[in-house]
Amino acid sequence: MRKLSPLILAAAISLGGATTASAIDFKIKGYWSLSYEVATNSAFVNSRAGGSTGDDFSAGERLRLQLEAKASKYLSGTVGLEIGDIYYGMAEKRGRSVGGALGADGSPIKLKRAFLDWEVPRTDIKVRMGIQGMKLPLFASDGNFVLDDDAAGIVASSRVNENVSVTGMWARLLNDNPLETSPQYHNSLNYDVSNPDHDALDFFSLLVPLRFNGLQMTPWLGLATMGDGVGRNPNKDYSEDFIRTSRKKLQEGMGVYTGTGKAPMLLEYGGGETYTWWGGLSANLSRFDPFILKFDFMYGNKRGNGMYRDKTYTKDNGKVKKLGKHAPLDADRYNRSGWFASVLAEYKMDWGTPGIFAWYSSGDDDDLGNGSERMPAMSGNWDYTHTGFKGTTASGAYDGLFAYQPIGLWGLALQLREVPLMEDLKTHLKVLYMRGTNSSNMPKKIAESQFMLGESVSGISPAGAIGSYLTTNDWAMEVDWNTEYKIYENLKLIVEASYLYVDFDKDTWSYTAPDGVKYGRDWVQRPDNPNVFKVGMNFHYSF
């Protein structure tokens, strides 16, 4: 009888599953990713300034599961979970349970997706509601840094005809999460803490995908509305769990002086409602296949506003003006507008696909009084390379070391994809050179402003929370070599090897104060070892 019990149980489950499946069809998909990486100088800091150089070896894993309950082709619901990243030997990271230490039993389970798909009856309108992946187009590369992230909202799309479709998007990115809770701050803005509309960030977008013979284009518009309670408290740093990931990208992408410390305007977008709009066009020309040409263009403009909670700030003429606490600032100082363009040309051949990739993004001038000339951005992990940027397939211990976004930079790359070495084995190669488009006078201007304010000058750094700030005198290069081997149909081994070098100009990133004190050598996160080498193995099982 004991031997028959498992068979009876299995039969009962099968019968129950068959009954349920007649009404709802359940589908599960996902992947396991296990990575083992070695990197030098991975923390990319100045060790002489007391920064840690990080571990040279990292092992970790990530699991993503997605379950779809499908009632019909018109209605389904999906939930997605992520377990990890789990770093071996690590119990917790920045207060979060990781579960990789002895005994395991961590709780690194996160909700990744939870959405409902349905079609409006007797129409071609498809609607997705809930927490989902939302992304704007980027054809020449991947990871649109205006928006390409998980967010809660609604996306509706409809096909007008065989050539034209329309997609509308709304996302509630932030709500009821003000970092500045001082009553004086709220009172100075006439801020009603009981009204959540004042601390919400909403994003709206309209996309019009166009498809013709050999040509695909998607023009789009985006609008972000930000309440006056979303402002950042300058007395709190990035160590808080709340702003470590997506919100950190938002703060620096929408702020004024990325990568140069908290100077001189700390509440880059607080102190009054603000609006940001973007326009873009992405195109893919395949009519002359095997020659492929892809192009992207984006422009963004953020209206300035702001409150400053200290007593002083530097006017355009260099003099220090005394203000009361939470006094208003010149709105122009908070403006941020700029553009980004990229192009990829490839030619498919039997032995591989050679290509040229290039981009240019506008950079800051040397005027502290007119805001930033870099394009505003809210999110995104631009993934053109896997060490300097965020393109790794591994757990992410050694990626994004240079930047998360290609803003304030121009770059030129030669690449070779899909080179077959033998059956089930192929390789890819990229060689990238990039340089800053920000004014070389900016570091000294900010250092001078900090000195006149009586703030710390040594905090000025070319390495920000989410990326390096390169001027026209600074440059960097990266070489990526990836090899992929298909072990089984659903299991592949990816070997990533790369070299990253960054050259910050010493004269540009130095400052002699009026009192004769020299700054520059001891600036935190200014790497005295600009070389990063990385080799990693990633086992990727998808199902």
Side-chain angles (χ1 to χ4, degrees):
M1 182 68 182
R2 184 175 300 173
K3 293 181 178 180
L4 291 176
S5 296
L7 297 177
I8 295 173
L9 178 61
I13 293 175
S14 300
L15 290 174
T19 303
T20 305
S22 64
I24 302 295
D25 183 18
F26 288 95
K27 296 181 179 179
I28 187 170
K29 65 179 181 178
Y31 70 77
W32 266 275
S33 176
L34 297 96
S35 57
Y36 308 89
E37 300 176 279
V38 176
T40 62
N41 194 30
S42 60
F44 205 58
V45 297
N46 184 349
S47 58
R48 290 182 303 218
S52 170
T53 56
D55 293 329
D56 292 334
F57 172 76
S58 174
E61 63 182 270
R62 180 195 304 126
L63 167 64
R64 284 185 181 175
L65 296 172
Q66 184 164 300
L67 176 66
E68 180 188 20
K70 190 171 184 178
S72 69
K73 66 178 182 178
Y74 306 109
L75 175 63
S76 67
T78 301
V79 62
L81 301 176
E82 181 177 79
I83 302 176
D85 294 327
I86 302 173
Y87 296 104
Y88 293 0
M90 186 178 294
E92 63 177 36
K93 184 177 181 180
R94 302 186 184 115
R96 293 179 179 177
S97 176
V98 174
L102 180 66
D105 297 333
S107 56
I109 303 177
K110 296 168 284 188
L111 178 66
K112 189 72 176 174
R113 305 282 168 85
F115 58 83
L116 178 68
D117 282 324
W118 60 285
E119 187 172 300
V120 179
R122 293 178 293 278
T123 72
D124 292 328
I125 301 175
K126 301 181 186 297
V127 181
R128 176 168 290 184
M129 310 167 65
I131 301 173
Q132 57 189 287
M134 292 189 175
K135 61 184 299 183
L136 295 170
L138 202 63
F139 289 175
S141 56
D142 292 314
N144 192 307
F145 32 94
V146 174
L147 182 63
D148 187 350
D149 215 329
D150 296 322
I154 301 174
V155 176
S157 60
S158 178
R159 187 173 181 178
V160 179
N161 55 45
E162 63 179 6
N163 302 117
V164 182
S165 301
V166 177
T167 298
M169 179 189 304
W170 165 73
R172 172 57 61 91
L173 303 181
L174 292 174
N175 191 41
D176 293 332
N177 299 311
L179 289 183
E180 174 59 82
T181 57
S182 165
Q184 296 91 339
Y185 175 82
H186 296 316
N187 293 340
S188 68
L189 302 172
N190 296 318
Y191 176 78
D192 181 6
V193 294
S194 65
N195 187 346
D197 291 340
H198 286 278
D199 51 29
L201 170 61
D202 291 287
F203 180 75
F204 306 87
S205 184
L206 177 66
L207 300 86
V208 185
L210 307 172
R211 292 180 179 272
F212 305 98
N213 183 24
L215 176 63
Q216 177 184 353
M217 296 190 300
T218 303
W220 60 271
L221 293 172
L223 174 67
T225 62
M226 187 181 298
D228 55 22
V230 183
R232 163 185 165 190
N233 184 341
N235 289 338
K236 297 182 180 181
D237 58 29
Y238 292 118
S239 65
E240 294 177 293
D241 177 77
F242 180 64
I243 60 176
R244 266 190 207 125
T245 54
S246 293
R247 184 151 189 185
K248 181 169 66 175
K249 303 169 196 174
L250 168 71
Q251 288 179 333
E252 289 210 350
M254 297 291 280
V256 180
Y257 300 123
T258 301
T260 51
K262 301 176 180 180
M265 303 293 101
L266 305 184
L267 285 176
E268 292 96 344
Y269 52 72
E273 294 184 356
T274 185
Y275 302 90
T276 306
W277 68 269
W278 292 268
L281 173 66
S282 293
N284 181 357
L285 179 63
S286 57
R287 187 171 183 177
F288 305 103
D289 193 0
F291 174 74
I292 305 293
L293 183 65
K294 298 180 180 181
F295 169 80
D296 297 289
F297 177 82
M298 297 184 287
Y299 173 83
N301 188 301
K302 180 179 76 73
R303 183 175 68 90
N305 62 74
M307 296 294 296
Y308 186 53
R309 69 189 309 265
D310 260 352
K311 297 181 180 180
T312 61
Y313 79 97
T314 304
K315 291 180 65 68
D316 297 341
N317 59 10
K319 296 180 180 179
V320 176
K321 180 179 179 180
K322 298 289 183 179
L323 294 176
K325 201 169 188 179
H326 310 293
L329 289 175
D330 303 330
D332 289 347
R333 304 178 69 88
Y334 291 82
N335 288 340
R336 177 163 175 168
S337 63
W339 57 277
F340 169 88
S342 62
V343 61
L344 171 65
E346 289 186 313
Y347 194 88
K348 297 180 181 179
M349 307 182 77
D350 294 337
W351 51 267
T353 303
I356 300 176
F357 174 74
W359 87 88
Y360 187 95
S361 176
S362 59
D364 292 334
D365 60 23
D366 61 357
D367 187 351
L368 296 183
N370 64 356
S372 172
E373 287 71 37
R374 286 169 293 120
M375 190 186 77
M378 295 188 301
S379 69
N381 295 326
W382 197 59
D383 61 1
Y384 185 70
T385 63
H386 58 67
T387 298
F389 294 100
K390 298 288 288 182
T392 184
T393 58
S395 60
Y398 304 130
D399 68 337
L401 300 184
F402 175 73
Y404 287 13
Q405 305 161 341
I407 296 176
L409 298 166
W410 70 264
L412 178 64
L414 301 177
Q415 62 181 48
L416 183 60
R417 298 189 303 110
E418 307 288 337
V419 179
L421 302 179
M422 55 180 289
E423 184 179 0
D424 296 328
L425 180 65
K426 58 184 177 181
T427 191
H428 318 269
L429 179 66
K430 290 180 180 178
V431 180
L432 170 65
Y433 173 86
M434 49 192 164
R435 202 171 189 95
T437 60
N438 301 295
S439 170
S440 59
N441 295 325
M442 181 61 82
K444 286 184 171 59
K445 287 287 187 74
I446 295 179
E448 180 183 31
S449 174
Q450 285 291 88
F451 179 83
M452 298 181 69
L453 286 169
E455 301 288 343
S456 171
V457 178
S458 60
I460 307 300
S461 167
I466 66 166
S468 302
Y469 186 96
L470 266 63
T471 72
T472 54
N473 290 340
D474 309 315
W475 63 277
M477 66 168 292
E478 180 172 352
V479 179
D480 283 6
W481 182 25
N482 302 348
T483 301
E484 182 178 317
Y485 176 61
K486 186 168 71 173
I487 302 174
Y488 297 115
E489 185 64 31
N490 297 92
L491 176 64
K492 60 184 178 181
L493 167 63
I494 303 171
V495 178
E496 297 179 344
S498 66
Y499 169 68
L500 171 66
Y501 175 85
V502 182
D503 188 285
F504 293 112
D505 183 71
K506 293 181 174 58
D507 292 333
T508 301
W509 290 96
S510 62
Y511 171 68
T512 302
D515 61 2
V517 178
K518 296 183 178 180
Y519 298 91
R521 282 289 183 181
D522 59 342
W523 283 353
V524 177
Q525 290 184 311
R526 183 174 186 272
D528 50 6
N529 179 9
N531 298 282
V532 178
F533 294 91
K534 184 186 81 172
V535 177
M537 293 192 305
N538 175 246
F539 293 85
H540 194 86
Y541 167 48
S542 58
F543 56 91

